[in-house]
Amino acid sequence: MSHARSLDCGVPQGSSLSPLMFKVYLQPLITALANMDCYIFNYADDTQLVVKLDNSVQACENVQGILRFIMNWMTSNWLKTNPDKTEVLAISTKGCPWSDRFWPTELGTAPAPVKVVKSLGIKVDADLSMKQQVVLVCGSCIGILRQLRKLVPLLMPSTLRTMVTAQILNRLDYGNVLYIGLPTFLLDKLQIVMNDAARLLFGLPRRAHAKPLLKELHWLPIKQRAESKGLCMAIRPCVEQHQSM
């Protein structure tokens, strides 16, 4: 065991209270940014800003003001900014509206817009096509299915189903609301993975018809799963509001 030391600042890494303590510490910054002309999404120490940009001087000053405020607040509260880890994703149907003049000189060189950013495990591309996310999910699931096929002789059917649910279905369902409205060829890639998982549970070859297997497992197809999740997210606030009346 190490010697005891007093912690005058910061939060201990690995403590169950650390995320809550850090969130409380950042709350003044989050509250201040919410009153500015931007949308803010915050998860622990990962802060994302959504700002509408155009070619006007007002938009440029607005972005610079927001970034300067963040930098000054962090400096005055003993936190360090790291411009090298800052990414910019420009989403536009009329060409990229991002330019160096939106970036304050105090933060160094303006980062060039990237094509894909990863937010809480979901890849978002500048075209909002979700292609990169589908490729990521399919690739990870296919690798897991290959490993599970080797373990089939050693596992009980109930254990195998639990592992498939935890390792495959959870990956297919994570963030699947974003799959609503995607082209059929992208949804088909995800559906092929689900079909292979169903065949694995029944010990059938890859060319076996998967539709009756999904029905027996009570698995909705990929498209219906996404739509069902979207409906649940839309209906739940209405139900809670109705109950509070």
Side-chain angles (χ1 to χ4, degrees), residues 3-196:
H3 297 289
R5 293 182 178 273
S6 61
L7 186 64
D8 300 325
C9 62
V11 292
Q13 186 173 359
S15 170
S16 58
L17 283 177
S18 294
L20 178 60
M21 294 168 63
F22 190 77
K23 184 177 180 181
V24 172
Y25 191 77
L26 284 183
Q27 191 58 43
L29 174 63
I30 305 304
T31 303
L33 289 175
N35 297 325
M36 297 183 177
D37 191 15
C38 68
Y39 297 96
I40 181 170
F41 301 94
N42 179 256
Y43 184 81
D45 63 342
D46 185 9
T47 302
Q48 301 175 10
L49 300 176
V50 180
V51 184
K52 182 180 179 181
L53 296 178
D54 53 33
N55 295 321
S56 65
V57 177
Q58 182 179 0
C60 179
E61 293 177 351
N62 180 38
V63 175
Q64 290 183 352
I66 293 172
L67 294 176
R68 285 196 179 99
F69 176 81
I70 295 174
M71 181 183 65
N72 293 334
W73 188 93
M74 294 184 68
T75 301
S76 61
N77 287 274
W78 302 285
L79 294 174
K80 183 180 179 181
T81 57
N82 191 347
D84 295 335
K85 291 187 177 181
T86 301
E87 293 180 317
V88 174
L89 179 69
I91 302 174
S92 175
T93 59
K94 300 179 181 179
C96 178
W98 176 260
S99 64
D100 294 350
R101 62 191 181 90
F102 289 104
W103 192 258
T105 56
E106 298 94 320
L107 289 177
T109 305
V114 296
K115 295 182 179 180
V116 181
V117 296
K118 197 170 185 179
S119 176
L120 298 179
I122 296 179
K123 286 191 173 183
V124 182
D125 54 83
D127 298 328
L128 298 180
S129 65
M130 301 303 296
K131 291 181 181 179
Q132 297 292 331
Q133 174 64 14
V134 171
V135 171
L136 174 67
V137 172
C138 291
S140 61
C141 288
I142 291 173
I144 294 172
L145 285 173
R146 289 175 180 171
Q147 297 299 323
L148 288 178
R149 287 192 182 96
K150 300 177 182 179
L151 298 176
V152 169
L154 307 176
L155 298 176
M156 297 176 59
S158 59
T159 304
L160 179 61
R161 180 164 181 173
T162 299
M163 295 184 67
V164 169
T165 301
Q167 298 295 330
I168 304 300
L169 289 190
N170 282 348
R171 281 176 166 80
L172 295 175
D173 288 341
Y174 182 70
N176 63 344
V177 176
L178 299 174
Y179 300 155
I180 297 177
L182 288 187
T184 304
F185 78 93
L186 287 178
L187 296 176
D188 288 344
K189 293 180 181 293
L190 297 168
Q191 190 62 55
I192 290 174
V193 173
M194 177 179 281
N195 294 346
D196 285 344

Side-chain angles (χ1 to χ4, degrees), residues 218-240:
H218 301 286
W219 289 0
L220 283 174
I222 293 296
K223 182 179 179 180
Q224 284 71 27
R225 292 175 82 91
E227 293 174 348
S228 176
K229 178 75 74 62
L231 290 173
C232 290
M233 295 180 65
I235 293 175
R236 182 176 179 180
C238 298
V239 174
E240 292 177 349

